[in-house]
Structure formats: C-alpha cells, structure tokens
Amino acid sequence: MSHIPSNLFPEDGDILSAGLVRGLASAAQETTLLRGADYLVQPVSGQGVRIVPIRKPTVWEHSWMTTLQGASAIIRPGLVNTVMPWLADSAGPLRALDGLDADLKKHKSGVPRLELKDTLFDKDGYSFIVIRVKIDKATGLMAKPAEGGLTIAQTAETTWLDGASLDRDGVGDCPIAFLRRAVSAKNGLGKVFQVRYFPINHRYQAGENGGSAKHWFLV
Amino acid sequence: MTTTLNPLTTAPYRAVAAQLQRNQLLPSPGMRIYRSRYGQRAEIAFPQDPWAHPWSTRALWNEERKHWEALVVVPGSVNAIDPLVPGQTVMDGDKERTAGLCDFPRIPLKSWRSPVANGEKLQAFFAAKGVRSLKSSGLISGAGGFTVVDSYQPESPIPPRTLIACNLYLAKARATYKAVITPVDATGSSGVVFDYSVTYGTETLDRKGVRARLQTAAAFPAIHKPTFAERLLGTYEDEGEDRLSICTIYLLSPPNEEGITPDARWTPYIQHDEFWPLKHVSPITSPKVSPKPIRIFTGLAGGIGDSLFNQILSSQNEASQRIINAVNNTVPEGDWSLA
C-alpha cells in the first residue's frame, strides 16, 4: 500500500464507522518504521522515531587526504614527480610525509603534522594547504626535499587562480586542500575541503615576452 | 455493527489520518522502501555505500516554498576554490555576501525542460519506468518549432510518467581576443593597405570576477565555437565565458501524471558529468607589450605593375602566414581539466 486510502478521510458530519476506525488503525500500523539493515530505529517518547545509521561510510584513503586533528592537519603521503614532500613540525625536523628520514628509516618523531595558524586566512575566510616546490631558476630543477625543495605549507595567498601557480623567486604552490572558516566565525580553522586526490607532475615554465614564470601541477 | 460517534470528532480523526500519511517513507534514489501490514522498512539500494565524490548533488523538495532545490553535498572546486552561487546569499557578520558552494546553499530549481519534447534521446532507464519517447507519447513537433501534445495512446502496461530536467553548470569568465582589420590606405597608388591586429579585452572578467560560478538552467547553455573564418574576420561576439555541465537533474512524475509542475511526489534522479575538483586554464594571457599589427599590402590598383606582383607575393605570403599563426594562437576558449 503506498498511501492512506482517500475513503479513510471522512467529511464533517459523517459518522465514524467501525470500518473507518479499523482502517485508520491498520494504516497506522503500516506506517510503523521497522528496523532495517542499515539503521536502527529509536523511538523518541512523544515526538517520533529517530533513524540511526549503523553502516560506516566507505573512506577512500587517497593521496594528499587531509584531515584536521585539533589545530594541526595530517596529510596522507602523495608524490610530486615521484618524490614525497617533507614537513617539519614542533615534534621534529623535516621528514617525509610517511614519517621516514633520508635513510628510509622511521623517524623517532613519527609522522609529521602541519601545524595550522588561524591567522593565515584571507579576508573571505579561506586558507590553503599547499605543496610548495622550490626550484633552481637557472636549471629549472627541484631542490631536494630534505633541503626544503618540496614541502607542505599553509598560506592565505592565492597565486594559482588562472590554473597555474605564478613563480615567486623560484617557489610555486599547489593547493591540495583548503580550509573554509564558518560564516561569521572570527577565528577557528573551519572545515577542510579536498582539492587534490592523485600523484602530481610538476613542470616549470619560464616567463616569455616579459610574462611571469609559472609552475604547472599536472595530474 | 456500526459504532456511532460524535460527528464533531471527524476533524481530529482526519488530522490523525493526515499525520499518518505524512509519516510514510517516500521513495528516493539509492533507497529501497519495503511496506507490509506490519510496518515499513528502508534499505540502501547499493551493496556498498557509494563514495560521495566532489560535485555530488542531491535534489530536495522544499515544502515551505513548494519547489525543488539542489544541494551539492560535497563541494567541488575550480582552481582550488569553491564556485560562487549567484542569487544565493549568506550573512557574514552584518554583511550579506554571495554564497559559495562551501556555504552549502540550497539552489532553487524553477526552470525545467521536457527532454522528450526537446527530442533528446530517452535513456532506457526512464523508458523502463514509463516515460514515453516522442513518437509513442503522442508529442508531435509542429510547424514553426512548436510542440503539440496529442491524445495519449498507451502501448505498454507500464503507467506513463512525465520526465522533466534541468542542468547545474559552471561558468567561468575569461579575457577575450577579437580580430580588428583597419584600412590604412585604400585609395593611394600603392594599392590597398590594411592592418590586422588582435585586441585583448577583459570586460566579462572585470564584470564577473575570476572565480567560477555555479548556475542552473533548464538546458545547458552551450557556447558557440567560432570557426576559423569567424575568428579571422572577427565576426563573432565572444561571450568571454567558458561553461561546463556539472549534472543533469531529472524529475520523474508519479504514474499517470500529466503536466510539468513538479511537487513532492516526483522522484529525483541525478546524472553527474563531473566527479573531481577542476582546473580551468585560459589560453589568454595579458600581453605586457601590445603586439604590432600585421600590415598587408594587396595588389596594385587597376592591375598595373604586374612585374611587381611576384615581389609583392612573397611579402603577402609571409603576412598571411603571420595572420594564420595569430588566429591559431588566439583561441579564446579555456580548458577544463582535472585539478
């Protein structure tokens, strides 16, 4: 049955027959929400029922997956030109995103976290978590990650709104996620939204005809 | 036996019946509803929870305003920032500003098209649910582009349903190029001379800003792609905007429903076109120095001076090639790609 039959709706002045009342009771029974495979049914006294999902959502652990933990962000490892970025935090010096050092040994400080600052938001309430690439402008080659050539940073500046990052003295930024501060919130980190999901290829394009040099971050 | 009650009690009785009606679970995509005399049960239709990708969109009925709305449940981004949603505002402190997708605005869907009447290919999915194709539905294209509805002739036991659709799409402003041909000396003895130059404009970009916008329309507003000749002669109006369809939102009527005014009983289906954050790259970059126009000399007036033609021809060919290069290098359309 997909709807309450129209004959269960009497007009004013009609006599409420036992058939009508039985029909209504039966219809009420049919609208009882039963437990399903995906949820629990919790009656809330005098108010109704609450559906509680019991299936955990599928979490796909992709490259660059950014999750907030307190005032810091944990970034799942990913590769830029097959190289993993490094990151320093208050727990230890620069080390790879997977917590390994240059000798591929587990660093005693563990997996690095990006310590976030709520001052690094633009006037519209956005802050960006970026892969920061530093190159030698003479050769176009990326410096070693252990020497700060490939790191993760937080910034409020946007230099990539035309699809490529404008060069700033050999440095280019690739946003992998952005933080959006809640409307009206004066501080706090807000929610994180993912931008990148896959390994990245970096290419440097020198400026021509007086134009700006660019960093391209391609999938 | 008939139990006679006070006739005044029919009002609360009716209210209870109406409340029961409101308690019923309605079908929605991705959920299966099972009903029996013992109660009703809902189940997720997919064996695994589908991963909600960027641009995942749901259609919701707004009971208060009596219209359907779109909600992008996982905001996508263009060049690492969420698009604005024109027409939707949020209060930011004491200021009102245009909402971005990360503000999760409910986007009213008020403009619909009939895919069947538009002659769009009917998906087998909707045909199986009772939507009739143009021929079998009795919709006939009339003269002058009108569509008239003939009396309905059912061909199958499936009760007929009406299908309507609209689109969510991205629009991104960009700079424009336009060819300008300026006669320099059309009467002189040296023949016809004109300058060919390409101008750079930012009117749309200045008006609409660099940030992408998410908009709705009954049908995706395709952009006219100019031909080489149109670009060469500058005879087309470049809108200064690139567009990309995000999804098509379909609403399917209850069985035997005619008319195209959807209400809460219609069932939404979303067909996504995009699944990832996007990058938009415009090939147009502002020149630091305005390029010199390309000057072209045509043949000498009156056909005299034939001996000079060959000499002129070489410079003509060079100028022509430079123009072809200029046209090929000034394609205005931007490129959408995976971020």
Side-chain angles (χ1 to χ4, degrees):
Chain A
M1 188 180 291
S2 61
H3 64 282
I4 307 289
S6 56
N7 61 10
L8 286 184
F9 288 88
E11 298 295 329
D12 283 345
D14 284 356
I15 293 170
L16 292 182
S17 65
L20 268 179
V21 176
R22 270 203 306 274
L24 188 67
S26 171
Q29 180 72 47
E30 287 170 14
T31 61
T32 304
L33 187 59
L34 304 173
R35 179 186 166 170
D38 307 311
Y39 58 86
L40 299 171
V41 175
Q42 291 185 335
V44 180
S45 179
Q47 295 179 41
V49 292
R50 181 177 292 136
I51 294 180
V52 182
I54 53 176
R55 290 174 64 162
K56 289 182 181 170
T58 307
V59 177
W60 170 39
E61 296 189 337
H62 53 79
S63 300
W64 317 116
M65 192 171 90
T66 305
T67 46
L68 295 184
Q69 282 200 355
S72 59
I74 294 180
I75 297 145
R76 277 191 60 80
L79 300 173
V80 178
N81 296 353
T82 72
V83 179
M84 192 180 295
W86 285 40
L87 177 59
D89 59 12
S90 54
L94 273 176
R95 55 202 187 276
L97 282 181
D98 59 3
L100 302 184
D101 60 20
D103 300 324
L104 297 179
K105 288 180 181 163
K106 217 170 183 178
H107 197 281
K108 61 181 179 186
S109 306
V111 174
R113 292 166 178 236
L114 179 66
E115 289 159 352
L116 300 165
K117 296 184 177 125
D118 72 359
T119 51
L120 285 175
F121 279 76
D122 69 9
K123 62 180 173 51
D124 295 321
Y126 288 88
S127 185
F128 301 87
I129 296 173
V130 299
I131 298 167
R132 182 159 287 168
V133 175
K134 184 165 177 51
I135 60 150
D136 179 345
K137 289 193 86 165
T139 62
L141 295 176
M142 193 166 71
K144 289 181 181 173
E147 294 165 5
L150 188 60
T151 54
I152 303 287
Q154 182 194 5
T155 181
E157 294 174 34
T158 50
T159 61
W160 50 78
L161 291 181
D162 283 325
S165 175
L166 297 178
D167 179 68
R168 302 186 321 279
D169 198 22
V171 174
D173 286 348
C174 171
I176 53 173
F178 64 88
L179 300 167
R180 180 78 172 91
R181 189 175 268 168
V183 172
S184 301
K186 297 293 175 213
N187 49 35
L189 298 171
K191 286 184 74 172
V192 65
F193 296 92
Q194 196 70 37
V195 174
R196 293 284 188 157
Y197 291 81
F198 301 108
I200 292 167
N201 289 308
H202 168 260
R203 297 288 182 270
Y204 175 70
Q205 180 187 17
E208 291 172 358
N209 301 325
S212 303
K214 290 178 177 177
H215 295 261
W216 293 92
F217 295 92
L218 312 168
V219 178
Chain B
M1 188 182 93
T2 301
T3 306
T4 306
L5 300 175
N6 185 342
L8 290 176
T9 59
T10 54
Y13 174 97
R14 276 207 309 273
V16 172
Q19 180 65 46
L20 288 177
Q21 196 156 41
R22 284 197 293 273
N23 284 351
Q24 292 190 109
L25 291 173
L26 295 173
S28 68
M31 292 294 291
R32 289 198 185 101
I33 308 295
Y34 297 93
R35 290 195 176 88
S36 70
R37 63 195 174 102
Y38 304 108
Q40 50 189 343
R41 183 164 55 87
E43 276 184 14
I44 295 171
F46 303 105
Q48 288 184 319
D49 292 347
W51 175 63
H53 57 80
W55 310 111
S56 283
T57 303
R58 307 278 183 272
L60 310 162
W61 171 253
N62 186 324
E63 179 61 29
E64 193 180 321
R65 296 183 178 170
K66 305 289 182 199
H67 64 220
W68 282 86
E69 296 173 336
L71 173 67
V72 180
V73 293
V74 182
S77 59
V78 178
N79 294 346
I81 197 158
D82 56 323
L84 293 170
V85 185
Q88 302 300 303
T89 55
V90 288
M91 291 304 293
D92 199 345
D94 53 356
K95 286 183 191 165
E96 196 177 53
R97 64 164 172 79
T98 303
L101 264 194
C102 290
D103 297 312
F104 297 97
R106 301 277 184 101
I107 306 165
L109 304 172
K110 293 180 177 174
S111 183
W112 299 92
R113 72 179 187 276
S114 166
V116 173
N118 279 3
E120 294 171 37
K121 191 175 179 222
L122 181 63
Q123 292 100 320
F125 174 81
F126 290 121
K129 289 195 170 289
V131 179
R132 303 289 193 265
S133 65
L134 195 63
K135 189 179 169 190
S136 61
S137 69
L139 289 166
I140 302 165
S141 292
F146 288 101
T147 300
V148 294
V149 182
D150 202 358
S151 59
Y152 175 66
Q153 299 290 326
E155 290 178 349
S156 76
I158 307 169
R161 291 176 160 197
T162 303
L163 183 70
I164 57 175
C166 69
N167 278 79
L168 280 190
Y169 67 94
L170 284 171
K172 175 100 169 56
R174 55 162 170 74
T176 56
Y177 282 136
K178 188 167 178 66
V180 178
I181 299 171
T182 313
V184 178
D185 178 8
T187 55
S189 58
S190 60
V192 180
V193 181
F194 59 87
D195 281 349
Y196 182 86
S197 53
V198 177
T199 60
Y200 171 84
T202 59
E203 296 80 12
T204 315
L205 203 51
D206 294 341
R207 202 170 65 248
K208 297 186 173 174
V210 72
R211 209 161 146 187
R213 289 162 287 121
L214 188 75
Q215 298 181 215
T216 65
F220 174 64
I223 290 177
H224 168 65
K225 291 211 167 181
T227 62
F228 183 87
E230 285 174 327
R231 291 213 313 272
L232 176 69
L233 300 171
T235 55
Y236 80 102
E237 277 303 316
D238 185 0
E239 295 179 62
E241 184 172 273
D242 293 322
R243 302 188 195 113
L244 184 74
S245 174
I246 290 297
C247 66
T248 305
I249 299 171
Y250 292 98
L251 282 183
L252 190 63
S253 76
N256 299 309
E257 185 90 359
E258 289 182 6
I260 55 166
T261 308
D263 58 26
R265 297 167 305 134
W266 291 50
T267 309
Y269 294 90
I270 316 287
Q271 183 177 37
H272 288 94
D273 296 316
E274 295 300 328
F275 302 86
W276 301 104
L278 295 165
K279 181 164 63 185
H280 175 270
V281 180
S282 169
I284 304 177
T285 50
S286 171
K288 296 284 176 192
V289 182
S290 296
K292 276 186 174 177
I294 301 166
R295 179 152 294 184
I296 299 178
F297 300 87
T298 63
L300 293 177
I304 53 173
D306 285 353
S307 62
L308 297 174
F309 281 3
N310 285 344
Q311 192 180 341
I312 293 167
L313 199 57
S314 67
S315 62
Q316 282 277 52
N317 286 340
E318 188 189 336
S320 298
Q321 188 58 51
R322 286 171 63 199
I323 288 176
I324 291 168
N325 291 346
V327 172
N328 284 336
N329 289 334
T330 52
V331 176
E333 297 93 32
D335 180 51
W336 300 92
S337 60
L338 181 63

